[in-house]
Amino acid sequence: MNRFFITFILALAILVFFSYRAHAAVEMDYVYDGDTVKIIDGKQVYKLRLTHIDAPERNQTYGKKSRRALIKLCTGAIIKVNIVGTDKYQRKLGSLSCNEQDVASFMVQHGHAWFNDRYSSDIALALKERAAREKKLGLWQDNKPIAPWVWRRLNKQQRAS
């Protein structure tokens, strides 16, 4: 074998090793609600807001159930995060997977969150929400569930008056 090939294989093995170690260090420390968690990634600690979905707020109908579904899915799991940006509240925006299961997809498919078509054009998630609605899964058991963005607006107005 030539030296270049051996060096290439060695460099690739080191890259894979450090990549795995970086993922292995990620922990989900706290679940705020069905779409926001606290992540510890090495020495970095941050709040992660999941993209593509909007889950009920904790004080909203079905909010605690949505939160518990996320906790159950990710407790003891291998956590992976993909950050795509930061929002106006300085939360990281991105995706989360627990044991290779995409959390946003799981939450929508089981009726624990809305597909957020205002900020996403993910057709697969839109179809999963439609199927969850038709099967009356999770929050869709309610005849007229209140979307989180509507609930937040209504509660903001009530506090102001």
Side-chain angles (χ1 to χ4, degrees), residues 142-160:
D142 188 337
N143 289 332
K144 292 187 179 181
I146 299 173
W149 53 91
V150 173
W151 187 89
R152 286 188 293 267
R153 188 179 67 237
L154 292 173
N155 284 277
K156 186 177 185 179
Q157 290 172 350
Q158 288 175 355
R159 285 188 299 238

Side-chain angles (χ1 to χ4, degrees), residues 40-110:
I40 300 174
D41 188 354
K43 293 182 180 179
Q44 187 180 14
V45 178
Y46 55 89
K47 210 181 244 195
L48 175 69
R49 172 65 166 81
L50 301 180
T51 54
H52 305 290
I53 66 171
D54 201 351
E57 299 297 328
R58 278 171 65 172
N59 295 330
Q60 182 180 355
T61 301
Y62 203 81
K64 289 176 179 62
K65 288 181 182 178
S66 175
R67 179 177 180 263
R68 282 193 298 267
L70 178 51
I71 291 169
K72 185 177 178 182
L73 176 66
C74 295
T75 297
I78 296 171
I79 307 293
K80 292 183 183 175
V81 174
N82 182 34
I83 297 170
V84 296
T86 304
D87 70 6
K88 64 182 179 180
Y89 305 108
Q90 299 308 305
R91 298 176 297 188
K92 304 287 185 192
L93 297 171
S95 62
L96 174 69
S97 67
C98 298
N99 289 336
E100 302 294 327
Q101 169 66 60
D102 179 72
V103 173
S105 179
F106 175 88
M107 296 297 282
V108 170
Q109 182 175 0
H110 295 282

Side-chain angles (χ1 to χ4, degrees), residues 119-153:
Y119 297 104
S120 176
S121 58
D122 188 324
I123 300 301
L125 281 178
L127 293 173
K128 287 179 182 188
E129 180 184 296
R130 182 186 301 166
R133 282 179 187 240
E134 289 171 359
K135 295 175 186 173
K136 296 200 176 290
L137 298 177
L139 62 90
W140 303 114
Q141 293 171 19
D142 188 337
N143 289 332
K144 292 187 179 181
I146 299 173
W149 53 91
V150 173
W151 187 89
R152 286 188 293 267
R153 188 179 67 237

Side-chain angles (χ1 to χ4, degrees), residues 3-52:
R3 280 193 159 157
F4 174 77
F5 183 72
I6 293 171
T7 304
F8 175 77
I9 296 298
L10 184 58
L12 186 60
I14 290 169
L15 180 65
V16 167
F17 173 76
F18 283 109
S19 175
Y20 174 76
R21 288 185 46 85
H23 287 302
V26 177
E27 296 176 47
M28 189 175 72
D29 186 54
Y30 185 76
V31 176
Y32 296 97
D33 57 29
D35 60 29
T36 308
V37 298
K38 181 179 177 184
I39 297 291
I40 300 174
D41 188 354
K43 293 182 180 179
Q44 187 180 14
V45 178
Y46 55 89
K47 210 181 244 195
L48 175 69
R49 172 65 166 81
L50 301 180
T51 54
H52 305 290

